[in-house]
Amino acid sequence: MAACHLRSISLPSRTHPLTATTEEQLHKLEASQSLSMSHKLSGLKNLFVDDLLQLPMAQHTFSHERQGQCVENAMSGSLEILDSCDSARDFSSQMKGCAQELKLLE
């Protein structure tokens, strides 16, 4: 009889505390007819900046994006160094050629 391996996905049993607060604030903004559109947009911006960006998943995502950006910057810098080395090698080769021509003219 073949062994069967089963995996279960463990999902959180309850939501993050900020999620409930965020949903509550969204409902308040949505239901409020007395607020102007600019006040609603301002409230939405504050909600996004103050609450949503503080969620662990958002922080985790930003961390990975920053790491990816650092790797990309390092690779770009490495390519620039390789290009500089290639240019220096070409220049050195040209200088050798010039030096050899000068020796032949003597």
Side-chain angles (χ1 to χ4, degrees), residues 33-92:
Q33 294 178 357
S34 62
L35 291 177
S36 68
M37 183 59 78
S38 65
H39 280 83
K40 286 183 180 183
L41 288 174
S42 177
L44 193 58
K45 178 190 75 87
N46 292 338
L47 174 68
F48 181 74
V49 171
D50 296 341
D51 293 340
L52 293 179
L53 293 180
Q54 301 305 318
L55 288 171
M57 182 58 84
Q59 293 296 318
H60 181 72
T61 301
F62 292 141
S63 173
H64 282 296
E65 286 180 12
R66 276 187 236 124
Q67 288 174 357
Q69 185 65 34
C70 288
V71 169
E72 192 173 312
N73 289 343
M75 290 179 69
S76 177
S78 296
L79 287 175
E80 288 176 14
I81 290 171
L82 287 172
D83 287 343
S84 297
C85 289
D86 192 40
S87 296
R89 186 192 60 195
D90 289 346
F91 179 72
S92 176

Side-chain angles (χ1 to χ4, degrees), residues 2-35:
C4 181
H5 298 284
L6 298 176
R7 295 183 116 183
S8 68
I9 298 174
S10 178
L11 297 174
S13 59
R14 55 191 164 93
T15 60
H16 193 278
L18 282 177
T19 304
T21 305
T22 302
E23 286 178 1
E24 183 180 317
Q25 290 176 351
L26 275 175
H27 289 300
K28 284 180 182 177
L29 282 172
E30 193 175 57
S32 178
Q33 294 178 357
S34 62
L35 291 177

